[in-house]
Amino acid sequence: MSKLQPVRGTRDIYGQLAYRHHHIIDTSFEVCRRYGYDRISTPIFEFTNVFLRSIGETTDIVSKEMYSFEDRKGESLTLRPEGTAGVVRSLISNGRFQELPLKQFYAGPMFRYERPQKGRYRQFHQIGAEYLGAEEPRSDVEAISMAFNVLQALGLDKSISLEINTLGDEDSRSAYRDALVAYFAKYKNDLSADSQMRLEKNPLRILDSKNETDKEISSQAPAFEAFLNASSKTYFENVCKGLENLGLSYVLNDKLVRGLDYYSHSVFEFVTNELGAQGTVLAGGRYDGLVQQMGGKPTPAIGWAAGIERLEMLMPDLAEDLPVTMMMPIGETTFSEAEKLMHDLRSAGHKVISDYAGNLKKRFARADKVGAKLAIILGEEELSKNVVMLKNMKTGEQDEVEINQLEKKIRENHES
Ligand code: ATP
Ligand code: MG
């Protein structure tokens, strides 16, 4: 029988990768909590409509990347390709409008049918934050500053830079759309097939194309700035001022449009040049029209998401941070006391692992190898006196400790 393989573009998360994966989720939520965020988990599959109605039919995601299937009743379902649509659907279906503003943090797997490569998978994972009911430029500034603080808490602030742009309001976008259609129409036959289709339906999307010829044509396209109306301009200026006020540096990138249709005003990306073509680590923007578009009350909102795999690749190895105590019982008559002691120490919050086999020299070598801080040696003689030997693996110091004092001694040792 041939060996079972994982599905292309998916992978198992264990060992060092698992450490980093969970460290990223825990650390980033810890930061977001300081901004008043709560956790939310939405299902990993939704009715296909949830994504069709939100992400936009001319986007890469909807046009070619979705894992859609019919269930046994013929209902069209889709594995979520991103997190925002589900969070907004949840706001609407749970009628949580009285609770606005709502700040929601999520983490979990996303699914896109893409060509797998470094930093690009078919099942990947995101952390993300959605601020629903987010009014005023100060909310944009807060969302961006929170993203920065997350990256800083992960030790990545030196490897990334912030790029921002504005997509203006509806009026500005529609003026810009006309200008883009006029411009791209001149190059229609040179554009990729995808972009030719976008020309009619959503020319802004062409600016986000990864096709080389499309990119070249886009580089000469009219800039958005000339089409921004006064209020959109003021809005964006205030976002920029707010970032400066916090001392966050940014680069203006007028080609930044993002891969989803629901954005308006601020869009931003934290990018790195350490990951080749997969340089976007964290990305987001304002999506004022989305909640209403999906059938809810008009609700301004802003959010961002980051790819856990890309964050992982930028991070150094992590080590276990709970101090380890190694239990070494000598002789079968001591085993049940050892088990009882370990049970009690673990309930008191200590990490204790055990090594029952071989001579002490070999056991100490193994304890060193796993980085144990302390070793408990429990022989028959000790047991008869109700004591153990507690050895500090770093200094080599060894003390006789009464069993009823053991937990206290271990705690003191870890605290010192
Ligand atoms: P890209 O331009 O790299 O395709 P995107 O614009 O499609 O990214 P978003 O939809 O904004 O990405 O998702 C936010 C983040 O999720 C990205 O910045 C990236 O870090 C991560 N991400 C997106 N798609 C994948 C994938 N297939 N594999 C791994 N991470 C991904
Ligand atoms: Mg993509």
Side-chain angles (χ1 to χ4, degrees):
M1 207 170 81
S2 66
K3 214 158 71 179
L4 289 174
Q5 298 293 330
V7 173
R8 190 164 131 84
T10 70
R11 59 181 187 164
D12 304 308
I13 300 169
Y14 57 85
Q16 181 55 229
L17 209 51
Y19 265 126
R20 289 194 227 171
H21 186 94
H22 294 286
H23 175 78
I24 289 167
I25 296 173
D26 297 345
T27 307
S28 52
F29 180 53
E30 208 41 55
V31 172
C32 295
R33 271 176 71 177
R34 301 179 205 154
Y35 290 78
Y37 279 71
D38 290 313
R39 280 192 99 122
I40 185 170
S41 295
T42 61
I44 61 167
F45 58 115
E46 299 270 357
F47 291 120
T48 299
N49 246 339
V50 168
F51 305 112
L52 291 186
R53 272 211 235 167
S54 55
I55 298 170
E57 57 172 327
T58 54
T59 59
D60 279 353
I61 295 181
V62 170
S63 65
K64 53 192 179 206
E65 295 174 359
M66 292 211 302
Y67 277 96
S68 299
F69 58 96
E70 280 189 5
D71 72 4
R72 286 162 197 275
K73 287 260 161 68
E75 201 83 73
S76 179
L77 305 179
T78 296
L79 300 184
R80 63 181 185 196
E82 57 98 52
T84 307
V87 171
V88 171
R89 193 275 307 140
S90 160
L91 167 75
I92 297 169
S93 41
N94 293 294
R96 298 184 69 192
F97 291 95
Q98 302 302 323
E99 294 173 58
L100 293 172
L102 270 171
K103 293 175 166 182
Q104 311 272 267
F105 172 93
Y106 62 83
M110 306 293 160
F111 306 84
R112 296 184 194 178
Y113 193 80
E114 301 198 72
R115 193 168 66 80
Q117 50 197 294
K118 190 179 158 205
R120 198 175 286 288
Y121 301 89
R122 289 183 173 174
Q123 174 173 334
F124 62 102
H125 300 78
Q126 284 183 339
I127 49 166
E130 312 293 352
Y131 182 178
L132 305 160
E135 318 231 24
E136 308 291 332
R138 81 175 80 88
S139 313
D140 306 48
V141 174
E142 188 187 271
I144 296 170
S145 85
M146 183 171 81
F148 177 85
N149 275 345
V150 164
L151 295 168
Q152 187 178 51
L154 294 170
L156 303 179
D157 49 313
K158 299 284 181 296
S159 16
I160 44 102
S161 60
L162 168 61
E163 297 192 353
I164 60 173
N165 189 25
T166 179
L167 300 179
D169 61 8
E170 198 49 60
D171 286 347
S172 309
R173 269 200 309 289
S174 115
Y176 187 44
R177 203 173 292 136
D178 294 344
L180 284 179
V181 173
Y183 171 80
F184 285 120
K186 292 188 286 187
Y187 303 95
K188 181 158 187 196
N189 297 327
D190 302 321
L191 290 170
S192 68
D194 279 344
S195 287
Q196 291 188 14
M197 185 188 73
R198 293 173 182 134
L199 184 56
E200 276 134 52
K201 293 190 169 161
N202 190 352
L204 237 86
R205 280 265 69 76
I206 302 176
L207 300 177
D208 194 45
S209 172
K210 294 193 174 71
N211 176 286
E212 285 307 321
T213 316
D214 287 356
K215 277 197 206 167
E216 214 179 294
I217 299 173
S218 290
S219 69
Q220 302 298 318
F224 206 151
E225 207 186 336
F227 303 89
L228 283 177
N229 57 22
S231 63
S232 297
K233 249 187 211 155
T234 308
Y235 192 100
F236 192 54
E237 280 162 12
N238 286 330
V239 173
C240 294
K241 275 188 214 151
L243 293 173
E244 284 153 27
N245 179 42
L246 303 185
L248 293 177
S249 40
Y250 58 84
V251 178
L252 295 175
N253 173 359
D254 66 6
K255 294 293 176 302
L256 188 68
V257 297
R258 311 274 308 105
L260 308 97
D261 275 356
Y262 48 58
Y263 289 110
S264 58
H265 291 295
S266 315
V267 288
F268 55 94
E269 293 189 349
F270 282 89
V271 297
T272 174
N273 44 29
E274 293 171 33
L275 297 178
Q278 274 59 252
T280 304
V281 171
L282 183 153
R286 179 166 275 282
Y287 52 92
D288 287 348
L290 181 62
V291 179
Q292 185 173 27
Q293 186 185 315
M294 290 180 74
K297 295 183 187 150
T299 307
I302 185 164
W304 52 256
I308 293 182
E309 284 77 4
R310 294 189 195 174
L311 295 169
E312 254 160 33
M313 288 194 294
L314 294 172
M315 282 172 52
D317 274 5
L318 293 175
E320 162 67 289
D321 55 0
L322 270 183
V324 177
T325 300
M326 183 69 92
M327 170 64 84
M328 301 178 180
I330 306 164
E332 280 188 32
T333 50
T334 65
F335 288 2
S336 50
E337 180 62 20
E339 280 153 23
K340 168 84 170 74
L341 273 176
M342 287 196 288
H343 174 77
D344 292 346
L345 289 170
R346 289 163 178 158
S347 4
H350 299 288
K351 173 166 179 176
V352 187
I353 55 179
S354 57
D355 190 346
Y356 286 72
N359 62 38
L360 273 183
K361 197 170 156 221
K362 280 194 183 139
R363 292 202 230 180
F364 281 129
R366 285 194 291 259
D368 264 333
K369 209 170 156 205
V370 299
K373 295 261 163 5
L374 295 170
I376 301 168
I377 301 117
L378 179 61
E380 278 166 22
E381 202 189 317
E382 283 88 10
L383 187 55
S384 69
K385 294 193 286 176
N386 260 326
V387 298
V388 299
M389 296 303 288
L390 186 63
K391 179 171 172 166
N392 183 319
M393 295 295 293
K394 206 163 145 207
T395 62
E397 242 172 85
Q398 198 163 297
D399 291 317
E400 198 175 272
V401 176
E402 285 189 33
I403 282 179
N404 60 17
Q405 295 297 304
L406 183 59
E407 195 281 320
K408 188 163 159 260
K409 265 274 178 318
I410 291 176
R411 190 156 23 91
E412 284 168 3
N413 194 289
H414 291 335
E415 281 164 4
S416 68

